[in-house]
Amino acid sequence: MKVFNFLFALFLFISFHSFSQADTTERVVLVIHGGAGTIMKKHLSPEKEAAYTEKMTEALQAGYAVIESGGTSILAVQAAINIMEDSPLFNAGKGAVYAHDETQQMDASIMDGKTKNAGAVAGVGTIKNPINAAIAVMNLSEHVLLTGEGAVEFAAKNGVEIVDSSYFKSERRLENLKRIKAEENDHGNLEPVDEELKMDVLDKKYGTVGAVALDKENNLAAGTSTGGMTNKRYNRVGDSPIIGAGTYADNNACGVSCTGHGEYFIRNVVAYDVCALMLYKEISVKEATAEVIKKQTELGGAGGVIALDKDGNVAMPFNTAGMFRGYITESGKVVVLMFGE
Amino acid sequence: MKVFNFLFALFLFISFHSFSQADTTERVVLVIHGGAGTIMKKHLSPEKEAAYTEKMTEALQAGYAVIESGGTSILAVQAAINIMEDSPLFNAGKGAVYAHDETQQMDASIMDGKTKNAGAVAGVGTIKNPINAAIAVMNLSEHVLLTGEGAVEFAAKNGVEIVDSSYFKSERRLENLKRIKAEENDHGNLEPVDEELKMDVLDKKYGTVGAVALDKENNLAAGTSTGGMTNKRYNRVGDSPIIGAGTYADNNACGVSCTGHGEYFIRNVVAYDVCALMLYKEISVKEATAEVIKKQTELGGAGGVIALDKDGNVAMPFNTAGMFRGYITESGKVVVLMFGE
């Protein structure tokens, strides 16, 4: 069975890469990311690369199925993000990294481009799918951002699935935390270390999942979910639960989800800035996202953005070595990429 | 002594209102707000009105003294906000309102327009001056936003003054919470109630202090501090600690601090939007702030903003009945206003 999965994934991987020059005049209906960082071929085994491709494809197809059946862009974003949250491959939900105190504290946000309504949670530890809690905050409260135990209490009261914190336990992520602490204490590298662990150490500040969808009613939605920064302290909150920084959606411009060194994305209000550039300078989503990445590089912030405009034009720029990313068109064509192609 | 204070305040009040048509070609170096809401003459006794005028004047003069002596805009913002945080008149620090569980949870943020560095704390209960903790986060950590106990731990370790939660205790604010809970439970008004308590009930979602300063090096800084929304639950966080929403500063455009119904300020990314409008549409600070207030009114969000551009032009628009606000010019002229003049 595992061999079959691997071969299937390899087949998908080869197939999708041939789509990377796909006809971009076709409307894109869903774009996702699985984090930006030092994602290079040398860090990933062929099996791992295939696993990422397979999981991102599954996420794209789950969101696509929602849109095809006439579901909202919010539900499509949720479906795609839930697949990635439930996978240990990505730093969100099940794959969340550890904070300094060996807890896992997750953040998520969602925004509806039609109403400009939004919801977010920060620093939650026992919500299986933080994006679902963000959606509950948006739909069922008068608030935008709830944090910590209060956010968990609200989610639980409103039917969002709560799990024991042991659900998120990961020996690999704990090993990762140990290595990062050792490195920060100048104890040097703990040998032996494989290439993927090296990548995880290099990317300790990054790792997020996100999605932007455009439904048949031409409504945009954007969402982001993350475990945050490995070894974070003091209940640090990054850009992912911050509307404007990590997530934004406005039917008049585009939907945006960001990934990268959160503090820099907060300081430049990156997600909203893409919309502001499109609205005020009347430039395209490709030009606007290129501009915000240029500003991030100038400020010193590593990462990337995905954006989808109201006409189905997609952009996925980044200033890191790679970014897990992909999109699906209205006819169901899938493109999945991860390196700096 | 009290009579003297009252007469002095009344003198200031009369004096400053005569400045409301002051020569606005003179460069403004500091602008503050003490919250927007249903602030009308009928809700305030002459004594209370004089007390607000006196305290805002004190805040403006404290910040002005910093700038005059060559201090940074960050220190001027801190000095002005500290005065308002230490007063029970404003919903920040000593005057913080109560959350649903009868705790006081405060938020604050600061941004440096020169470096675009920023710091913020959310949901802190025992930090005497939350703006000081935000400044410590900006200067002494690699982070922008710390929350809850983690933020308090960081502040304490870095020399920010911690107090017992009893420091913030206020019978008046507790009475206010009780009335708002009764109102929300449809128990009607609890009589007797004075005009000022009525105003506090009407303004349960508002109340903030903020400042924007321009120093002799032509650097802008903006800061905001609040006790948040009365009767808030689930560790709700408003716009005040959110860079982009409640606070923003960029030497190339302006510094901004917001006050009002936080959720709407988050959804429209109001503070950064003022800067984006100035930078991308090349309009003035007066035009840009008028535009964001128009957008807030359209979305349904009550409140106001203060903004100061790099040339010392000031704007203080709002869509509520009133807003506690004022500024001081480079020659030391003070203007303090509160109603919809």
Side-chain angles (χ1 to χ4, degrees), chain B residues 147-185:
Chain B
T147 64
E149 282 312 307
V152 175
E153 186 193 341
F154 176 83
K157 273 189 188 169
N158 287 283
V160 177
E161 187 175 354
I162 305 297
V163 291
D164 189 83
S165 60
S166 62
Y167 166 78
F168 300 101
K169 194 173 176 188
S170 159
E171 289 305 328
R172 188 163 188 91
R173 297 292 196 198
L174 270 173
E175 173 72 14
N176 197 8
L177 175 68
K178 202 173 75 181
R179 289 182 181 279
I180 286 165
K181 283 185 176 179
E183 193 197 56
E184 291 193 353
N185 292 330

Side-chain angles (χ1 to χ4, degrees), chain A residues 17-130:
Chain A
H17 273 69
S18 67
F19 285 130
S20 64
Q21 301 300 320
D23 177 9
T24 48
T25 58
E26 204 192 340
R27 193 170 124 124
V28 168
V29 294
L30 178 66
V31 56
I32 61 170
H33 70 76
T38 53
I39 299 152
M40 291 187 281
K41 239 185 165 52
K42 69 171 183 177
H43 293 308
L44 290 175
S45 65
E47 293 80 3
K48 212 56 184 270
E49 199 178 318
Y52 275 107
T53 302
E54 186 180 14
K55 193 50 75 177
M56 286 195 286
T57 303
E58 190 186 333
L60 286 167
Q61 289 174 336
Y64 181 78
V66 171
I67 293 168
E68 271 305 288
S69 65
T72 65
S73 50
I74 293 288
L75 292 175
V77 164
Q78 181 180 24
I81 289 181
N82 282 173
I83 298 285
M84 292 188 283
E85 284 178 333
D86 291 345
S87 162
L89 290 171
F90 307 97
N91 177 16
K94 179 76 181 148
V97 300
Y98 282 90
H100 186 76
D101 62 359
E102 298 195 0
T103 63
Q104 286 151 301
Q105 297 163 13
M106 287 155 264
D107 310 323
S109 64
I110 186 95
M111 187 158 184
D112 181 337
K114 181 184 178 186
T115 60
K116 288 168 85 176
N117 205 350
V121 293
V124 298
T126 54
I127 296 173
K128 182 166 176 274
N129 294 100

Side-chain angles (χ1 to χ4, degrees), chain B residues 111-254:
Chain B
M111 188 158 183
D112 181 337
K114 180 185 178 187
T115 60
K116 288 168 85 176
N117 205 351
V121 293
V124 298
T126 53
I127 296 173
K128 181 167 177 272
N129 295 98
I131 195 71
N132 297 5
I135 293 170
V137 172
M138 176 173 76
N139 290 338
L140 305 172
S141 86
E142 57 172 344
H143 301 308
V144 169
L145 175 57
L146 303 181
T147 64
E149 282 312 307
V152 175
E153 186 193 341
F154 176 83
K157 273 189 188 169
N158 287 283
V160 177
E161 187 175 354
I162 305 297
V163 291
D164 189 83
S165 60
S166 62
Y167 166 78
F168 300 101
K169 194 173 176 188
S170 159
E171 289 305 328
R172 188 163 188 91
R173 297 292 196 198
L174 270 173
E175 173 72 14
N176 197 8
L177 175 68
K178 202 173 75 181
R179 289 182 181 279
I180 286 165
K181 283 185 176 179
E183 193 197 56
E184 291 193 353
N185 292 330
D186 258 349
H187 297 157
N189 287 324
L190 299 176
E191 295 294 347
V193 54
D194 66 31
E195 287 297 329
E196 197 190 340
L197 264 175
K198 269 190 196 164
M199 181 178 86
D200 286 345
V201 170
L202 287 169
D203 290 348
K204 64 190 173 192
K205 291 178 178 170
Y206 320 122
T208 317
V209 305
V212 185
L214 177 62
D215 64 28
K216 292 191 172 180
E217 304 284 330
N218 291 313
N219 290 318
L220 288 162
T224 310
S225 181
T226 189
M229 189 184 273
T230 309
N231 200 28
K232 67 187 173 188
R233 297 183 211 197
Y234 308 119
N235 303 132
R236 172 262 188 187
V237 172
D239 63 316
S240 299
I242 308 295
I243 297 301
T247 302
Y248 206 77
D250 179 349
N251 272 3
N252 296 312
C254 68

